Amino acid sequence: MKYTAVLVPGDGIGPEVAHATCSILKAANAPIDWVHCLAGVAALDAGEKELLPAATVAAIREHKVALKGPCTTPVGGGFSSVNVAMRKTLDLYGAVRPVRSLVGVPTRFDNVDLVVVRENTEGLYAGIENEITKGVVTSVKVATREACLRIAEFAFQYAAHRNRKKVSVFHKANIMKLSDGMFIRCAREVHDAKFPNIAYEELIIDAACMRLVQDPTRFDVLLMENLYGDVISDLCAGLVGGLGLVPGANLGEHAAIFEAVHGSAPDIAGQGIANPLALTMSAVMMLNYIAEMHGDGALAATATRIRTAYDLALRDGCKTRDLGGTLTTSQFADAVIARLG
Ligand code: ATP
């Protein structure tokens, strides 16, 4: 079987980590034909008029699966996030970010194995901001019962499917009584009605942060709205060695985009030293997703081969600089390729 997927390298370190990842997939004979598309600054640089070209959205709609590098979002002004726009345009409402300890990457805790599930389409990321009068701005947090219910359903279904035992909802419903209040009520409703056998808890997010850094091994699946999910994903990345190690999937009914949790890392872009592993892990999630969709056991085995190879590389001490090593992006990719069984 051969499959087509869209590749959006992004900008900053995106093209470097995308190149390394594609070389690993190629060496593993992953049966993927890439359709190359642009987004963000890279699209403008190539003469496109839009940050999110219609052709890129159309290609993802057509092929249904994409691997995407990060797209830079300017801070405090300029254009709004292309990453967020893509998720909203394609209604990729569920972000899944698995965070696990890796042998060869020593951190404070050895057995972290949790999954952040983030609502991807609303909350403060609805992008509704106004200067109502000079010196006074509002940012509107949007929560709809429909989106709260569907992300809760998504998280519990994910937990059930992966034999996960507990879902913890992080919220601030003591302060945001209406929006976060609805979020937890919907999660509770879905749990009680359909998934009573999965353990369930609600934690106020500030206390949850303290518990996460004290003992992340007590957590399993974490469910939260958009902004909290963004912040907590980076916190969790820190627990297992950093942003170079956490992959992600943005899933909807009609398409899926796989991308690392990290951003475009402009401070190290163009130097060939970024860690490609988070995107490679995202690509492995993509292969497993396609394999499951098509019942393709051989493709699932290819995904496992790549995962085993990078686990071995880390165990053998092959590391990029973010992990205290000296390997360049391409040297790390070569180390993984050399360990493909
Ligand atoms: P965004 O808001 O766009 O998601 P961010 O605030 O998460 O971005 P990043 O661009 O991810 O920021 O970078 C944060 C820090 O982590 C930077 O110092 C960057 O160099 C480092 N970093 C991020 N990704 C990687 C990577 N793949 N390899 C090495 N270092 C990385």
Side-chain angles (χ1 to χ4, degrees):
M1 294 272 262
K2 192 103 177 141
Y3 305 96
T4 305
V6 174
L7 179 68
V8 183
D11 55 64
I13 60 170
E16 302 161 50
V17 293
H19 183 267
T21 294
C22 289
S23 71
I24 293 169
L25 264 63
K26 188 164 180 223
N29 291 319
I32 303 291
D33 282 332
W34 296 111
V35 174
H36 295 258
C37 289
L38 294 171
V41 178
L44 297 187
D45 288 349
E48 293 283 350
K49 300 220 163 17
E50 303 288 335
L51 284 153
L52 182 50
T56 299
V57 174
I60 299 172
R61 282 213 169 100
E62 181 185 347
H63 300 294
K64 302 194 178 338
V65 176
L67 181 68
K68 175 184 162 296
C71 293
T72 299
T73 309
V75 176
F79 57 83
S80 51
S81 169
V82 180
N83 309 306
V84 173
M86 233 186 223
R87 294 168 199 156
K88 285 209 277 197
T89 305
L90 292 158
D91 200 22
L92 306 176
Y93 62 89
V96 173
R97 278 109 181 247
V99 179
R100 70 175 171 110
S101 301
L102 293 155
V103 175
V105 185
T107 53
R108 194 178 291 265
F109 305 95
D110 287 335
N111 299 310
V112 180
D113 181 12
L114 53 84
V115 180
V116 178
V117 174
R118 166 186 178 186
E119 202 289 324
N120 244 354
T121 62
E122 46 182 47
L124 280 164
Y125 283 57
I128 305 169
E129 291 199 306
N130 291 299
E131 181 167 19
I132 49 178
T133 185
K134 200 163 170 41
V136 182
V137 298
T138 58
S139 297
V140 178
K141 174 161 169 161
V142 177
T144 63
R145 183 171 153 79
E146 188 189 352
C148 293
L149 281 174
R150 82 175 168 172
I151 194 65
E153 182 99 31
F154 176 93
F156 281 107
Q157 244 160 32
Y158 178 90
H161 189 58
R162 311 267 158 167
N163 207 17
R164 296 260 174 187
K165 304 289 179 234
K166 182 166 72 171
V167 173
S168 308
V169 180
F170 290 7
H171 67 90
K172 195 77 191 173
N174 51 337
I175 305 297
M176 279 159 282
K177 294 178 193 296
L178 291 185
S179 55
D180 283 17
M182 184 156 68
F183 196 87
I184 51 171
R185 272 196 305 279
C186 288
R188 219 178 281 161
E189 206 175 302
V190 171
H191 170 261
D192 294 352
K194 298 188 185 170
F195 302 93
N197 296 331
I198 295 177
Y200 173 73
E201 63 179 354
E202 295 162 2
L203 296 171
I204 295 182
I205 190 155
D206 38 3
C209 286
M210 184 198 68
R211 292 205 195 181
L212 260 178
V213 297
Q214 278 183 330
D215 182 13
T217 62
R218 75 178 286 286
F219 290 102
D220 195 345
V221 174
L222 312 181
L223 166 63
M224 63 207 81
E225 58 88 272
N226 213 336
L227 174 63
Y228 306 154
D230 190 13
V231 176
I232 294 293
S233 297
D234 279 30
L235 185 156
C236 290
L239 295 170
V240 295
L243 283 167
L245 298 171
V246 180
N250 301 293
L251 305 171
E253 302 303 332
H254 306 293
I257 297 182
F258 296 81
E259 64 180 336
V261 165
H262 64 70
S264 59
D267 52 331
I268 56 165
Q271 299 175 40
I273 57 169
N275 188 347
L277 194 43
L279 190 66
T280 304
M281 291 169 154
S282 307
V284 166
M285 287 177 79
M286 183 191 84
L287 296 182
N288 279 321
Y289 174 86
I290 298 172
E292 199 163 309
M293 209 160 49
H294 295 272
D296 186 340
L299 185 60
T302 302
T304 303
R305 273 175 64 227
I306 297 171
R307 179 175 165 163
T308 305
Y310 64 64
D311 279 346
L312 280 174
L314 288 176
R315 195 202 58 188
D316 292 347
C318 306
K319 290 179 193 168
T320 43
R321 284 194 210 176
D322 53 309
L323 300 179
T326 56
L327 297 187
T328 63
T329 309
S330 60
Q331 284 169 338
F332 181 78
D334 290 343
V336 175
I337 290 168
R339 287 165 179 78
L340 283 168

